[in-house]
């Protein structure tokens, strides 16, 4: 089945990214936007615009009946959810398919199964995907938690079964804090996710966050596209990602890739997906969770594999076979992505919405900018603060790093504060240059800068 027209249930740079892929495939696009996004770049580039509600996400981008009505009114064949908003809502995916519209994403059952992080852990164990020692399934009581703690030993991380991406996690070092942590985490999870269940995992100290990109069709072909290194995070928000990881050799890549493919097959997966792992200092990797959507950082994988992940998602959703096999995949060079946010790094990364007064985008060989901003555009205060992604490719990591520093120097965004100055500091630091990355990268960077007296104003 060939799509004639698709609806994009998202906004910002990812909406633009999807419109571009669809246009090149000869597919018409409808952008479903809020009142705040009528003048967006996506609204200009799409073939049709349909307004689905007021600026607040809950009334527009998260409003399932409105989005499905918009799809029916405009007569689209499929809906692309992008990332965030409804992308990992299995009820949305199910409602879309029940309306005879194709969901450009995984089967809704796979979204639901991977959304239950305790179920995901036990499924991984059954399919020989390594997991950290921890609880079997979810729990809500202190007694079970203490029993698990005595078996696996402290430190332990308490996570919400319905959480993910670092939301609702806490580290626990002894029985006393465990009792309190179980009570608090469980009641918080109940409020935040409507599910009080938590699970326990041995806490790994200073691991790397490595994730494997996968793409699968509806005919049983599942391919891994190498890893991304996402260890540089601030409060669980990624600031900079790269591919490949210097910590992964060819043999580990194959073992992680094949484990990720088993994870997909275990839940009957198709479409693009990401299997997240923690990597310890000895090179052991452990399954953390699976993201059943296209991710913000997908371009670094595109730059080193030459595969267009959005086109691949659309192709697979149409029922086509993947046009490549595992043996056709090779990694060429190195790519680094900076997430440019409308935030002020000097004010604790506080949101900085407003009007873009001046804009100069970097360019040249190996430089890609995915953005929806333009001169005169006003960044609204209602949504997440991502305004641009700078992706730089180089033949090796050092060329990609130098090119990223050069492109960040060229980048001018006037009228709002952005994370550009912070990312400049990261890429020129000795710590980043050395590639010695871990989850404590930012703390270590700030400690080093204090000791050598780096001026943060530049
Ligand atoms: C962990 C961990 C150590 N041990 N789980 C999970 C979601 C991610 N955003 C943070 N998560 C972590 N899970 C166990 N068992 C450490 C982290 C973690 C982290 C991981 C990757 C990148 C940055 C991080 C910062 C703090 C904690």
């Amino acid at each position: 089945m060939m799509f004639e027209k698709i609806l994009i249930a998202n906004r910002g740079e990812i909406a633009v990214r999807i419109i571009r892929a669809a246009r090149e495939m000869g597919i018409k696009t409808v952008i479903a936007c809020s009142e705040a996004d009528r003048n967006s770049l996506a609204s200009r580039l799409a073939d049709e615009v349909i307004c689905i509600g007021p600026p607040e996400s809950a009334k527009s981008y998260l409003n399932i009946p409105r989005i499905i009505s918009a799809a029916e009114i405009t007569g689209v064949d499929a809906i692309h959810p992008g990332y965030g908003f409804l992308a990992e809502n299995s009820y949305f995916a199910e409602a879309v398919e029940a309306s005879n519209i194709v969901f450009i994403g995984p089967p809704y059952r796979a979204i639901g199964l991977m959304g239950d992080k305790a179920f995901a852990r036990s499924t991984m164990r059954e399919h020989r995907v390594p997991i950290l020692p921890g609880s079997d399934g979810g729990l809500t009581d202190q007694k079970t938690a203490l029993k698990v703690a005595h078996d696996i030993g402290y430190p332990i991380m308490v996570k919400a079964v319905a959480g993910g991406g670092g939301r609702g996690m806490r580290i626990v070092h002894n029985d006393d804090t465990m009792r309190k942590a179980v009570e608090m985490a469980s009641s918080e999870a109940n409020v935040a996710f409507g599910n009080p269940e938590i699970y326990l995992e041995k806490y790994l100290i200073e691991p790397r966050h490595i994730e494997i990109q996968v793409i699968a069709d509806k005919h049983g072909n599942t391919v891994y596209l190498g890893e991304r290194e996402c260890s540089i995070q601030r409060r669980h928000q990624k600031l900079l990602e790269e591919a490949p990881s210097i910590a992964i050799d060819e043999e580990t890549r194959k073992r992680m890739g094949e484990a990720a493919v088993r994870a997909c097959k275990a839940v009957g997966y198709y479409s693009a997906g990401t299997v997240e792992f923690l990597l310890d200092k000895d090179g052991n990797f452990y399954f953390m969770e699976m993201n059943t959507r296209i991710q913000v950082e997908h371009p670094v994988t595109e730059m080193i594999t030459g595969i267009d992940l959005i086109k691949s998602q659309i192709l697979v959703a149409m029922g086509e076979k993947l046009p490549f096999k595992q043996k056709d995949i090779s990694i060429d060079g190195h790519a680094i992505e900076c997430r440019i946010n409308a935030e002020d790094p000097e004010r604790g990364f506080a949101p900085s919405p407003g009007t873009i007064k001046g804009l100069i985008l970097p360019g040249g060989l190996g430089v890609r900018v995915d953005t929806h901003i333009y001169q005169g555009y006003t960044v609204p205060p209602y949504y997440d603060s991502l305004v641009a992604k700078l992706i730089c490719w180089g033949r090796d990591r050092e060329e990609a790093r130098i090119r990223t520093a050069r492109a960040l120097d060229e980048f001018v965004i006037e009228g709002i504060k952005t994370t550009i100055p912070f990312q400049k500091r990261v890429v020129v630091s000795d710590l980043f240059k050395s590639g010695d990355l871990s989850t404590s990268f930012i703390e270590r960077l700030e400690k080093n800068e204090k000791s050598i007296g780096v001026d943060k104003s530049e």
Side-chain angles (χ1 to χ4, degrees):
M1 182 221 187
M2 181 63 199
F3 297 155
E4 269 179 38
K5 189 157 82 172
I6 65 172
L7 180 135
I8 296 146
N10 214 301
R11 62 178 306 281
E13 69 84 21
I14 194 64
V16 171
R17 173 74 188 84
I18 298 161
I19 292 168
R20 287 173 173 157
R23 177 72 42 87
E24 290 178 15
M25 295 172 85
I27 299 169
K28 290 203 170 63
T29 53
V30 178
I31 183 80
C33 73
S34 77
E35 284 163 14
D37 286 333
R38 285 183 188 280
N39 295 319
S40 70
L41 184 59
S43 295
R44 273 189 203 212
L45 295 179
D47 294 290
E48 289 174 55
V49 181
I50 185 162
C51 185
I52 49 163
E56 306 91 284
S57 302
K59 295 178 176 166
S60 51
Y61 296 107
L62 293 173
N63 190 329
I64 296 176
R66 290 246 180 138
I67 292 165
I68 292 179
S69 300
E72 286 177 335
I73 290 164
T74 54
V76 298
D77 304 301
I79 297 181
H80 197 305
Y83 51 66
F85 296 123
L86 297 170
E88 291 182 277
N89 184 317
S90 65
Y91 303 108
F92 176 61
E94 187 176 2
V96 170
E97 299 262 322
S99 309
N100 268 316
I101 300 165
V102 178
F103 180 73
I104 305 176
Y108 70 86
R109 281 190 188 82
I111 302 177
L113 295 174
M114 286 301 187
D116 180 326
K117 308 299 172 189
F119 175 89
R121 255 174 72 82
S122 49
T123 306
M124 292 309 113
R125 187 177 33 229
E126 283 165 25
H127 290 82
R128 299 174 4 263
V129 177
I131 57 170
L132 284 160
S135 59
D136 293 327
L139 54 96
T140 52
D141 66 301
Q142 299 178 342
K143 204 168 145 238
T144 315
L146 291 175
K147 205 158 84 217
V148 174
H150 293 161
D151 285 347
I152 68 174
Y154 291 103
I156 286 173
M157 202 147 205
V158 176
K159 300 183 177 183
V161 163
R167 294 182 308 160
M169 303 185 330
R170 26 169 63 75
I171 305 164
V172 177
H173 295 277
N174 56 55
D175 283 1
D176 212 37
T177 43
M178 178 61 86
R179 289 192 191 89
K180 290 179 204 134
V182 170
E183 284 306 305
M184 289 178 62
S186 177
S187 84
E188 276 175 28
N190 198 27
V191 172
F193 316 113
N195 179 354
E197 284 186 301
I198 55 164
Y199 66 104
L200 309 186
E201 249 178 28
K202 182 86 184 173
Y203 179 67
L204 264 189
I205 292 156
E206 297 198 354
R208 285 174 185 254
H209 174 133
I210 308 280
E211 55 187 38
I212 301 282
Q213 177 70 56
V214 291
I215 178 88
D217 64 25
K218 297 179 180 177
H219 305 273
N221 304 299
T222 308
V223 171
Y224 62 89
L225 302 176
E227 77 282 3
R228 293 185 287 260
E229 158 98 52
C230 306
S231 300
I232 304 184
Q233 305 187 7
R234 190 187 165 277
R235 301 200 176 154
H236 306 304
Q237 287 295 110
K238 296 168 186 166
L239 278 164
L240 200 143
E241 305 98 346
E242 59 180 293
S245 164
I246 64 159
I248 303 290
D249 58 23
E250 202 49 61
E251 190 240 314
T252 311
R253 179 169 301 123
K254 185 161 188 281
R255 281 196 296 124
M256 280 179 104
E258 287 172 356
V261 168
R262 287 198 299 281
C264 291
K265 300 215 166 188
V267 295
Y269 203 85
Y270 52 72
S271 193
T274 299
V275 184
E276 295 186 348
F277 294 97
L278 292 174
L279 182 75
D280 71 16
K281 299 263 188 292
D282 303 320
N284 303 305
F285 61 85
Y286 306 94
F287 172 83
M288 192 160 48
E289 55 190 71
M290 179 165 185
N291 299 322
T292 56
R293 59 167 191 277
I294 192 74
Q295 286 189 257
V296 175
E297 60 270 31
H298 76 273
V300 293
T301 299
E302 295 184 324
M303 300 304 278
I304 61 159
T305 61
I307 288 169
D308 184 324
L309 282 164
I310 306 291
K311 278 188 187 170
S312 302
Q313 275 191 306
I314 296 173
L315 212 66
V316 161
M318 293 192 299
E320 298 287 311
K321 284 187 175 161
L322 284 176
F324 45 78
K325 297 260 185 283
Q326 192 63 55
K327 65 170 170 41
D328 303 319
I329 306 302
S330 61
I331 289 166
D332 179 26
H334 201 98
I336 298 173
E337 172 179 276
C338 295
R339 293 191 188 189
I340 316 289
N341 292 324
E343 291 171 0
D344 185 354
E346 287 185 51
R347 307 260 177 299
F349 292 80
S352 177
T355 300
I356 313 278
K357 297 278 164 50
L359 180 66
I360 300 171
L361 297 181
L365 177 62
V367 176
R368 165 177 172 184
V369 181
D370 279 18
T371 186
H372 59 290
I373 67 171
Y374 52 85
Q375 198 158 15
Y377 174 71
T378 300
V379 178
Y382 310 101
Y383 314 108
D384 84 22
S385 59
L386 185 74
V387 290
K389 303 190 304 203
L390 169 68
I391 308 105
C392 293
W393 181 90
R395 287 165 296 179
D396 55 26
R397 185 174 190 267
E398 186 58 4
E399 188 175 54
R401 189 190 68 78
I402 289 169
R403 188 165 281 156
T404 302
R406 185 272 286 174
L408 286 168
D409 273 333
E410 282 183 28
F411 218 136
V412 179
I413 303 178
E414 285 168 338
I416 59 169
K417 297 281 187 193
T418 75
T419 49
I420 289 173
F422 184 83
Q423 276 139 345
K424 271 191 213 175
R425 277 163 53 205
V426 170
V427 297
V428 304
S429 69
D430 289 333
L431 196 57
F432 184 76
K433 234 185 274 189
S434 76
D436 181 15
L437 311 184
S438 77
T439 53
S440 14
F441 179 88
I442 289 175
E443 287 99 300
R444 287 177 61 195
L445 177 75
E446 290 183 338
K447 224 178 274 167
N448 289 356
E449 285 179 343
K450 278 206 188 91
S451 71
I452 60 169
V454 170
D455 180 2
K456 291 199 195 171
S457 64
E458 201 5 62

